[in-house]
Amino acid sequence: MDTLLEVNNLHVSFKTYAGKVQAVRGVNLSLKKGETLAIVGESGSGKSVTSKSIMKLLPGNSAVIEDGEIVFEGKNIVHYSEKQMEKIRGSEIAMIFQDPMTALNPTMTVGKQIMESVITHQKLNKEQALQRAIELLKLVGIPNAEARVKQYPHQFSGGMRQRVVIAIALASNPKVLIADEPTTALDVTIQAQILDLMKDIQEKMNTSIIIITHDLGVVANIADRVAVMYAGKIVETGTVEEVFYNPQHAYTWGLLGSMPDMESKDELIAIPGTPPDLINPPQGDAFAERNEFALKIDYLREPPMFKVTDTHYAATWLLHGKAPKIEKPTKLTKKRLQPVKAAEIVETEIQKETLLEIKNLKRHFTIGKNDIVKAVDDVSFDIYKGETLGLVGESGCGKSTLGRTLMRLYEATAGDVLFQNESVYGKKNAADRKLFNRKVQMIFQDPYASLNPRKTVMDIIAEGIDIHGLATTKEERRQKVFELLETVGLNKDHATRYPHEFSGGQRQRIGIARALAVEPEFIIADEPISALDVSIQAQVVNLMKKLQKERGLTYLFIAHDLSMIKHISDRVGVMYLGNLVELADADAMYEEPLHPYTKALLSAVPVADPDKEKTRERIILEGDLPSPSNPPSGCRFRTRCPHANDVCAISKPEWKEVKQEHWVACHLY
């Protein structure tokens, strides 16, 4: 294959008030025709800066390419003027951005936005450009393209908007397509559609793709080669099989180990600490401080790229001839794990104590005069003391609304919630409600928005202690906060700091400490890890499991990441458009899902195993989630279900126990 793009010794820095941030430090990459290269690493590792440097899209007032070459088709484009870059950008090298909502102009129809690119680069007239826009919408799988070309971005779902962004990127048949986290903001079912679309486009157009992502399942699905980035450098590169099955760098071990797999409940290998400050990069190997296998030389000298095979290189002193032989973590040495069969699970007779009963719960929202959104619509289930119940489903299915209604952050429209055999909605006086609020706590999704930026960590965590009078003196209050910080893996020095001084993972730990401060019995965790890097996710999940064992906590764990839900949950509930469609033991659900929606969700989850990813059969759901203000009659899933028949449109399926502790709402059973 011919090399289309080469990046040689690229150095990029940013001027800030605090000093010069060395964001990219000597990156070398190459991309061949028709190849997919994945760049992976934590936030702040330099992935997006590298890709934006190739496009020359860095902010001119603060970013500087200090050294290196970017060679595209034999020409070094580093010193190209803006006018020269305009001829390449869009027509030769195009970019798909992470957030389709901000990448599209809300005041222009999607057709006009595609036409703009076509007219600029292909010199077609308006009529020809319109036809090309319709062709492109059809190519990226948007139905009824002739009508939808006249619609605005807000009239499309998130998945459809991402398809429009891809159509704009493909408008001039680019040779290189750079996709910056193209599926991060999407549900797993839509992600599967987008990945299939990108592979299909590559086959048809022989486009070369650079995909930037932190999801190793996506990498296993789509990539030919992988470059692992850390602290502005490439630390390992090789074919997807080499990097996944024979990783050499301790950072790659950490990334792979922190991914849950659906076939075992081994503890996740969390990478300790956080990435270094690139205003003052450390001497030697930047990963040494977080590397349990670090050698003395790692703190003194930077490792060169050692050759493993002709295609596989890694920058680690562990590959030096005189280095001690280190055994990789056992989790990474098993290339294939045998799944646990549902039939093999030995049922132990434990008397389950019901902590929470949800009975025919409804929560409706009125929008406008006659528009009612049925966010939660007739949901019934129990949560047992000491268990983790995972709740999954696509965005908009009502998971978070259900969690907030259980907490009484939203009042129920109908139905009831019993906590310890007492109605949550029957608690009329302030004292009863206060006691309930102490026993039930919530960890919120966004660690940035859920902490008061004007309060110190001490006051944030102690707020519940103050409200419920759990400390009689200032010293006792202080000691309680110090203990809580230690419990969640922070230290007492952090108590005097403010939220903006912490990373996302540390903020989420503060949120957990705040929830634990009032000694609750039940915690609702609403997408507590979705805003975090995969390595930080592992730290938080391991912490939550440890705290559950130590304190006998009960969790409702809401998430859209099905592999993480499987890892942490005892039982799993699946929601679709305000209804619960399946509920079962986690192993039984993943081994033998019954509802067609659950089957589709599980088949869409990318797995960090290239061989499995290339051979797995996927059930791709067509279309988007219907509007909760106008749900389909009968079974709400019927408009996307491959097994739908006449009865599905007429009557709502009954919620019933089809096997022991395995509930489903489907006309097939």
Side-chain angles (χ1 to χ4, degrees), residues 355 385 419-420 434-442 461-466 468-472 476-477 479-481 483-484 487 511-523 547 550-555:
L355 183 73
K385 192 172 172 53
F419 179 74
Q420 295 175 330
K434 194 172 174 183
L435 183 61
F436 171 73
N437 290 341
R438 182 183 160 184
K439 287 180 177 178
V440 181
Q441 285 287 304
M442 196 161 196
I461 294 172
E463 191 171 11
I465 294 171
D466 298 341
H468 295 282
L470 300 178
T472 50
E476 190 186 351
R477 176 186 192 258
Q479 287 308 318
K480 275 185 183 281
V481 171
E483 278 169 30
L484 287 159
T487 303
I512 294 170
R514 176 177 61 184
L516 293 173
V518 293
E519 296 159 17
E521 294 176 35
F522 177 50
I523 291 180
L547 291 170
E550 290 171 0
R551 296 177 174 229
L553 295 168
T554 305
Y555 291 137

Side-chain angles (χ1 to χ4, degrees), residues 457 481-482 485-486 488-497 502:
V457 167
V481 171
F482 289 162
L485 284 170
E486 205 172 294
V488 298
L490 297 171
N491 62 55
K492 55 171 88 167
D493 298 343
H494 291 134
T496 54
R497 297 191 198 170
F502 294 89

Side-chain angles (χ1 to χ4, degrees), residues 634-635 645 647-654 656 665-669:
C635 172
N645 55 36
V647 72
C648 300
I650 299 162
S651 69
K652 186 178 177 180
E654 184 192 340
K656 57 188 172 188
C666 180
H667 287 300
L668 293 172
Y669 301 96

Side-chain angles (χ1 to χ4, degrees), residues 504-627:
Q506 288 172 318
R507 278 181 234 208
Q508 200 57 296
R509 286 167 181 268
I510 294 163
I512 294 170
R514 176 177 61 184
L516 293 173
V518 293
E519 296 159 17
E521 294 176 35
F522 177 50
I523 291 180
I524 298 167
D526 185 9
E527 298 267 14
I529 55 172
S530 64
L532 308 175
D533 273 315
V534 64
S535 53
I536 312 298
Q537 283 184 9
Q539 291 178 18
V540 172
V541 166
N542 286 345
L543 170 66
M544 288 181 72
K545 288 181 87 167
K546 175 174 163 279
L547 291 170
Q548 185 173 37
K549 269 186 192 166
E550 290 171 0
R551 296 177 174 229
L553 295 168
T554 305
Y555 291 137
L556 174 64
F557 195 92
I558 298 166
H560 62 261
D561 181 341
L562 281 94
S563 47
M564 195 60 91
I565 279 281
K566 163 72 161 60
H567 178 79
I568 199 170
S569 304
D570 299 300
R571 290 188 302 146
V572 177
V574 181
M575 275 191 87
Y576 184 82
L577 217 61
N579 290 159
L580 207 58
V581 296
E582 191 162 359
L583 176 68
D585 173 88
D587 289 320
M589 172 91 79
Y590 282 69
E591 179 60 32
E592 198 183 343
L594 299 179
H595 198 282
Y597 178 58
T598 312
K599 290 177 184 176
L601 276 183
L602 288 171
S603 83
V605 180
V607 177
D609 184 331
D611 287 356
K612 280 185 190 163
E613 271 301 299
K614 287 174 175 64
T615 54
R616 275 174 83 208
E617 274 190 41
R618 279 198 156 73
I619 302 165
I620 300 291
L621 289 180
E622 296 303 321
D624 290 312
L625 206 64
S627 167

